Amino acid sequence: MIAADVVGQVAQVGAAVLPAAIPSPSEHTWYLGPLPVRAYALAILAGIGVALWLTRRRWAQRGGDPDDVLEIAFWAVPFGIVGGRIYHVFSTPEPYWGAGGDPVRALYVWEGGLGIWGAVALGAVGAYIGCRRQKVRFAAFADALAPGLLLAQAVGRLGNWFNQELFGSPTTLPWGLRVDDSVAAAAGYPPGTLFHPTFLYEMVWNIGAALLLIFLDRRFRLGHGRVFWLYVLVYTLGRVWIEMLRIDEAETFGVLGVDIRLNVFTSIVVGLGALIAFIVVGRRHPGREESVFLEERPHSTTEESADDSAKDSGTSHDEPDDVSGSSPDEPDEDEEPNGPDESEQAGAARPDPGR
């Protein structure tokens, strides 16, 4: 009885502090003349920017060149966008291939719809190409990228909020998401229905997971791809329960008499695979790589750094310390040779000015 009273009081306090509902943005597209600026695209670009910022810092901490991150991203980002779109179209085919669907809309990335598994899979192919071109270790780069990838996903979820899509089932919680009446009707619910803000759940989960990866990486000096596999494992744990709240159209299939969404099944399989990979790699390669480069880069040597410093100061290591103008091999003008033999030897030692 006492516990019930406490829970009731906490609920009353939460209802008083929290808003009655989370409103959805009224617009998701703005126009600069004829050019449309879409919130979904801005969220994706902002997420990529955050990921690049954090990855550059982590790559430098591991001994890499931060500029390599930009070169690798040149390959990874386009591959990831294409892969994410392909996975979305095939995991949610009805709007494109179903009755009344339009296959051309499969190209409309700006309308939303990027599947994370396709983005990671094909993005990894692009990152591998970039790593080979920069001559750096792919596993080391994946470890540096993993927390930033989670933050990119967190920021990207704001695009779902603006588009009023991918929300969860109805709820009476004080943080329920309010959508337009037409959106609620299209989902099969009466106007005013509040829904689970799954975009917010995933944002919070991803940010927390990114902080966890950074902490574990510093605490245990993980390497050889283990931070990346840990990212996959932690993300899939959250994705399973968040995905089960969603009510958007998706491919399902029966498992033991129960219909399971394709993304839930994929998350379970990928998560188990990541757990196995994390354990196997940890046993084979404990610790962290000594170098992120496939081969040492000559410009990073201490000797050349010293030469550069000497050039800046106006001196050179090859110049003698004697500034009197005479060569150490030449006798002073005031000093005469002891004999004709020495004079001939000294003359032979001098370079011929005519040569």
Side-chain angles (χ1 to χ4, degrees), residues 23-297:
S24 293
S26 57
E27 297 182 8
H28 58 77
T29 304
W30 305 271
Y31 289 88
L32 296 177
L35 179 65
V37 178
R38 305 181 188 277
Y40 186 87
L42 293 178
I44 296 297
L45 293 176
I48 293 174
V50 171
L52 289 176
W53 167 77
L54 182 58
T55 304
R56 282 170 59 88
R57 289 176 59 90
R58 287 175 51 79
W59 188 242
Q61 291 171 356
R62 288 173 176 259
D65 184 352
D67 291 339
D68 287 341
V69 176
L70 300 179
E71 296 292 336
I72 297 171
F74 177 81
W75 292 90
V77 172
F79 273 69
I81 292 176
V82 172
R85 189 59 177 177
I86 291 175
Y87 182 88
H88 167 76
V89 170
F90 281 93
S91 62
T92 312
E94 289 299 323
Y96 314 104
W97 319 111
D102 183 6
V104 178
R105 289 184 56 201
L107 304 176
Y108 298 170
V109 179
W110 54 86
E111 291 186 353
L114 292 175
I116 183 60
W117 304 125
V120 171
L122 206 54
V125 175
Y128 179 80
I129 295 174
C131 287
R132 298 297 297 181
R133 290 174 62 88
Q134 298 304 118
K135 295 181 174 57
V136 298
R137 300 182 186 277
F138 174 66
F141 179 80
D143 284 342
L145 171 66
L149 193 57
L150 280 166
L151 293 184
Q153 292 174 241
V155 176
R157 283 302 174 188
L158 291 173
N160 300 138
W161 180 43
F162 275 89
N163 284 355
Q164 299 189 33
E165 61 183 0
L166 305 184
F167 46 81
S169 57
T171 181
T172 57
L173 294 171
W175 56 81
L177 177 66
R178 178 179 288 114
V179 299
D180 293 345
D181 292 345
S182 59
V183 176
Y189 294 92
T193 303
L194 302 182
F195 301 91
H196 279 288
T198 50
F199 82 93
L200 180 60
Y201 297 164
E202 188 160 341
M203 284 185 64
V204 174
W205 183 270
N206 288 344
I207 294 173
L211 296 176
L212 177 63
L213 291 189
I214 294 174
F215 168 76
L216 294 176
D217 187 26
R218 290 179 178 178
R219 175 66 177 81
F220 299 102
R221 292 187 57 80
L222 302 175
H224 301 280
R226 284 191 293 167
V227 182
F228 179 81
W229 291 121
L230 194 59
Y231 145 70
V232 177
L233 175 61
V234 176
Y235 175 74
T236 53
L237 290 176
R239 185 60 185 266
V240 166
W241 68 268
I242 293 172
E243 188 74 26
M244 294 179 68
L245 289 173
R246 286 166 49 172
I247 57 175
D248 56 292
E249 293 184 359
E251 285 294 290
T252 61
F253 56 92
V255 177
L256 300 179
V258 179
D259 289 337
I260 299 180
R261 293 168 65 97
L262 175 61
N263 287 333
V264 173
F265 179 79
T266 303
S267 297
I268 294 173
V269 173
V270 173
L272 291 175
L275 176 60
I276 295 173
F278 179 81
I279 295 174
V280 172
V281 172
R283 290 181 176 179
R284 291 182 177 180
H285 305 286
R288 183 180 292 179
E289 303 93 340
E290 295 183 0
S291 173
V292 300
F293 301 111
L294 292 175
E295 57 186 38
E296 291 301 326
R297 300 189 178 185

